Amino acid sequence: MKDEKTLEPLHEATLWYYTIKDPEVTEQAIVDWLSWLQASEENTQAFEKVEQLMQLTTQAKEIDWPDDNELLDDDYDGDISVQQWRLNQRGWRKWYRIFLDFKLPAKKNLLPSFALSVMAFALFVLLSAHMPNLGESDIAVSVHETASGQHERIELDDGSVITLGAQSLISVAYSEEQRKVLLERGEAYFDVAKDPNRPFVVGSGSRTVTAVGTEFNIMRQSERVVVTVAEGKVLVEPKSKPSSVPRIIKAFKKKYGNTNTFLLAEQQLTYNDDTISEVEPANSKTVTSWREGSLQYLTEKLKFVVEDINRYSEHPIRIGDEQVGNQAYSGTVYTDRIENWLDSISQAFPIKVLSHNNGDIVLVTDTTRIKNSSVN
């Protein structure tokens, strides 16, 4: 890649594409590629365009970006040489091998941004290039999944306890140096044992939640993740830290902004792949009432309420139109009496509850009631 600066971005991006796809790509080439990629927005766009063209016009496969599980350990920060970083890893090489052998269900949308992908890909190549040298490890890895309406209490070796909600999926990785959890879907309540030397880190969606010793709740839905603190303090920050490769900081901040946020007891925030809310006051007892068999809401959109209820419902409930989904709902849903809630919702709102032969239940706007109310 000599005289790169004299090349047009698309030409240069093409050369980088073939360099990265080479099975014998060197570690230094990966670092150089990342630096070039984030030197300008033009470089990033050119590389994305080349990759798209390659997929359309040749037999070339898309670069195999790692999924969330392979990102659970992303510790290379660029402050030391690649060689020295590799010597310091030890146990985490074993962790990576475990996830090569066992993968959770694949997701269509692997990562929230291209910047996150390139940072992760560097780690992927560095680890996989040295798989033959993997040694023994004392890392404990476990995966937990619950069925509809089922809760699970998970007691960890350090005294921490995770209460896993219905239709939820998490993976847990413990070692002498770190405690990491990935919440892939659903909801979980974390009662974390204090250990200043081993922060407790939960990855969910595009961010991580870090605590030393505290109690907090995380709910991951299709459009958002909601974090509520019951006791202590947590740090919410982007999943892949901008410091991983210095020049990636610009692209990362352009996407997310500098959005590290501390949450205290009785506070809550919501985020998705692109945005994060302001910190808001919350009633943690209301948020965590699901552990006792009731779901409590305060001015929550029905589309989120229904998505939550579906983890406990025998029959799927669907939102039939946008107007229904945006209705603000306040109230309590008992998970063993969902049919009663459906009856009440049709009385309290201009909503029809339609039952289909396949068992699905659809909530649609009752236009007749809206017209009558407007006339009166």
Side-chain angles (χ1 to χ4, degrees):
M1 298 296 299
K2 294 181 179 180
D3 301 324
E4 295 167 358
K5 295 182 180 179
T6 64
L7 302 176
E8 292 294 328
L10 280 177
H11 185 188
E12 192 174 358
T14 303
L15 295 178
W16 276 121
Y17 180 87
Y18 284 112
T19 298
I20 299 305
K21 292 285 288 186
D22 188 337
E24 298 182 359
V25 61
T26 65
E27 297 158 349
Q28 188 58 51
I30 294 292
V31 174
D32 291 343
W33 168 59
L34 290 171
S35 298
W36 170 84
L37 193 64
Q38 294 305 320
S40 70
E41 183 67 20
E42 188 177 24
N43 289 352
T44 300
Q45 294 175 354
F47 190 86
E48 289 179 303
K49 186 172 183 179
V50 166
E51 186 178 14
Q52 292 171 0
L53 290 173
M54 290 297 183
Q55 294 174 45
L56 290 173
T57 60
T58 72
Q59 297 295 320
K61 295 181 179 180
E62 182 180 1
I63 290 178
D64 187 18
W65 305 113
D67 60 22
D68 284 345
N69 301 310
E70 293 162 344
L71 285 174
L72 194 58
D73 173 50
D74 186 2
D75 292 331
Y76 178 66
D77 60 11
D79 292 337
I80 59 177
S81 69
V82 172
Q83 183 179 8
Q84 184 61 48
W85 173 84
R86 197 169 69 241
L87 292 174
N88 294 340
Q89 293 309 293
R90 297 177 183 172
W92 279 105
R93 300 179 193 154
K94 177 75 171 182
W95 164 241
Y96 181 75
R97 183 170 64 181
I98 290 172
F99 271 103
L100 286 180
D101 297 331
F102 176 81
K103 290 181 179 294
L104 301 177
K107 295 172 62 181
K108 293 182 180 179
N109 298 321
L110 293 179
L111 293 173
S113 73
F114 188 74
L116 292 177
S117 297
V118 295
M119 285 187 280
F121 182 66
L123 176 62
F124 172 78
V125 173
L126 294 176
L127 288 179
S128 60
H130 297 277
M131 292 293 286
N133 298 323
L134 294 177
E136 292 301 317
S137 170
D138 57 357
I139 291 179
V141 179
S142 59
V143 177
H144 305 266
E145 184 174 14
T146 53
S148 178
Q150 176 190 12
H151 292 172
E152 180 181 356
R153 176 184 170 88
I154 305 165
E155 297 182 0
L156 303 177
D157 292 342
D158 65 338
S160 298
V161 177
I162 302 174
T163 305
L164 195 60
Q167 289 191 22
S168 300
L169 177 63
I170 65 168
S171 55
V172 181
Y174 262 43
S175 73
E176 293 182 357
E177 293 80 23
Q178 51 199 353
R179 303 179 289 177
K180 293 192 176 184
V181 177
L182 176 67
L183 176 63
E184 182 68 17
R185 67 167 184 267
E187 187 166 21
Y189 185 85
F190 301 89
D191 185 351
V192 179
K194 294 187 188 305
D195 188 346
N197 297 321
R198 289 195 305 166
F200 191 97
V201 182
V202 182
S204 190
S206 60
R207 298 177 185 274
T208 60
V209 180
T210 303
V212 173
T214 189
E215 297 183 33
F216 59 97
N217 191 88
I218 301 181
M219 177 175 62
R220 182 172 183 177
Q221 295 185 311
S222 58
E223 295 183 16
R224 64 179 190 170
V225 177
V226 182
V227 182
T228 308
V229 177
E231 180 181 311
K233 179 173 69 173
V234 302
L235 170 65
V236 181
E237 58 186 337
K239 177 176 286 187
S240 293
K241 298 179 181 180
S243 61
S244 293
V245 177
R247 291 187 179 180
I248 289 180
I249 295 177
K250 294 181 181 179
F252 193 90
K253 286 188 175 180
K254 183 176 181 181
K255 177 75 173 177
Y256 295 106
N258 189 11
T259 54
N260 293 351
T261 305
F262 281 103
L263 281 182
L264 305 179
E266 303 303 317
Q267 290 185 338
Q268 180 183 85
L269 64 74
T270 301
Y271 64 85
N272 57 29
D273 287 350
D274 300 313
T275 62
I276 183 170
S277 73
E278 297 292 330
V279 174
E280 300 176 346
N283 186 323
S284 62
K285 291 184 178 180
T286 297
V287 172
T288 63
S289 63
W290 59 269
R291 296 182 296 165
E292 308 300 329
S294 67
L295 309 175
Q296 298 181 20
Y297 306 97
L298 180 63
T299 60
E300 184 65 276
K301 289 185 178 181
L302 266 178
K303 64 178 181 179
F304 296 129
V305 172
V306 167
E307 185 173 355
D308 201 15
I309 292 173
N310 270 328
R311 294 191 290 114
Y312 298 88
S313 178
E314 181 180 355
H315 301 289
I317 305 172
R318 294 189 288 112
I319 297 294
D321 57 71
E322 185 176 356
Q323 186 171 349
V324 169
N326 289 329
Q327 291 272 9
Y329 174 80
S330 296
T332 300
V333 182
Y334 293 97
T335 57
D336 59 350
R337 285 178 271 171
I338 293 176
E339 290 185 359
N340 292 347
W341 177 78
L342 289 170
D343 291 337
S344 66
I345 201 72
S346 63
Q347 298 174 22
F349 294 89
I351 293 175
K352 286 183 179 180
V353 180
L354 306 178
S355 298
H356 290 261
N357 293 334
N358 63 358
D360 286 6
I361 299 169
V362 183
L363 307 184
V364 298
T365 301
D366 189 341
T367 55
T368 302
R369 290 172 61 184
I370 293 178
K371 290 179 180 179
N372 290 339
S373 63
S374 63
V375 170
N376 294 334

